[in-house]
Amino acid sequence: MPDRYKAILLFGAPGAGKGTQGKILGKIPGFFHLACGDVFRSLDMTSDLGKQFLSYSSRGELVPDELTIQMWRENMHAQTVLSLYKPKQDLLILDGIPRNVKQAEALHGSLDVLKVIHLRCNDETAMMLRMRRRALKENRMDDADDKVIRHRFEVYHDETFPVLDYYSKEIIADIDAMGSPAQVFQRVLEVVVPVQDAHFNRPAAVGA
Ligand code: ADP
């Protein structure tokens, strides 16, 4: 196992499209996508941990850092043991973590952050619309209530946005998050492919 996982962070406000882009990227050989929110949502909601997650997320709050980091470590370990994620071959695409500066510090020893993709969207109304649509489609309680959505934006501005200052400016790529998923994905690929080329051997095409 390498000392630190080589990673690209997907960064942006709720509804900016991190999950959509991450899921598409994760389908391409040589990338492994992990969304912290998905890991939480896969918990058994009747377990202690699941109940804790629900109590925070339903209010639009972050889950406490220690719990989050521990969960993330256990999940990464499991993915590696199962060979779903191969650190020597796959560029890790992390979405939803770190979500505050404390988490960024805690992950410093485990992550070699090669790029931060900042999905920028200044139109909060458009993001809220995306989230309401997602709430209906994916049964997400945290996206169903306008008060909770607004609080999630506040938490993003107060706690998550400052994470950008934690990383060096040279590795931050600002990407316009408005447009269709395909249009945004084209912009994301322009940033991500050179990083993969520089750090990994080209993955073999399946069936080639
Ligand atoms: P979105 O993609 O809309 O920003 P996520 O699916 O990433 O939302 O996260 C949903 C909820 O899970 C968050 O509101 C929060 O309660 C919890 N969560 C996810 N990632 C973290 C994290 N790194 N630290 C603390 N809480 C988190």
Side-chain angles (χ1 to χ4, degrees), residues 112-182:
D112 180 8
V113 178
L114 303 172
K115 212 56 157 186
V116 179
I117 294 190
H118 179 200
L119 292 171
R120 289 185 85 116
C121 175
N122 295 327
D123 186 350
E124 257 182 39
T125 317
M127 284 191 280
M128 283 182 80
L129 202 72
R130 286 181 182 179
M131 290 163 82
R132 275 198 219 101
R133 246 185 272 142
R134 172 169 77 182
L136 294 175
K137 225 174 81 190
E138 297 178 13
N139 196 18
R140 283 201 36 182
M141 279 158 60
D142 55 341
D143 284 347
D145 182 327
D146 278 0
K147 220 173 76 204
V148 176
I149 295 184
R150 257 192 292 278
H151 186 55
R152 276 178 7 102
F153 278 112
E154 283 166 10
V155 171
Y156 175 74
H157 288 125
D158 296 347
E159 296 188 49
T160 308
F161 193 73
V163 171
L164 282 179
D165 285 332
Y166 178 84
Y167 296 104
S168 122
K169 281 207 169 42
E170 287 94 75
I171 64 162
I172 295 173
D174 278 328
I175 287 183
D176 180 6
M178 291 309 285
S180 68

Side-chain angles (χ1 to χ4, degrees), residues 12-15 18-19 36-38 40-41 53 56-57 60-65 68 95-99 103 131 134 140 142-143 152:
K18 304 180 294 284
C36 195
D38 288 346
F40 278 130
R41 278 185 291 277
F53 162 68
Y56 289 100
S57 65
E61 296 284 349
L62 295 185
V63 177
D65 295 334
T68 302
D95 150 9
I97 189 168
R99 235 179 169 95
Q103 293 183 7
M131 290 163 82
R134 172 169 77 182
R140 283 201 36 182
D142 55 341
D143 284 347
R152 276 178 7 102

Side-chain angles (χ1 to χ4, degrees), residues 16-32:
K18 304 180 294 284
T20 302
Q21 297 300 321
K23 275 191 200 102
I24 309 174
L25 262 182
K27 293 249 172 10
I28 304 176
F31 294 97
F32 181 78

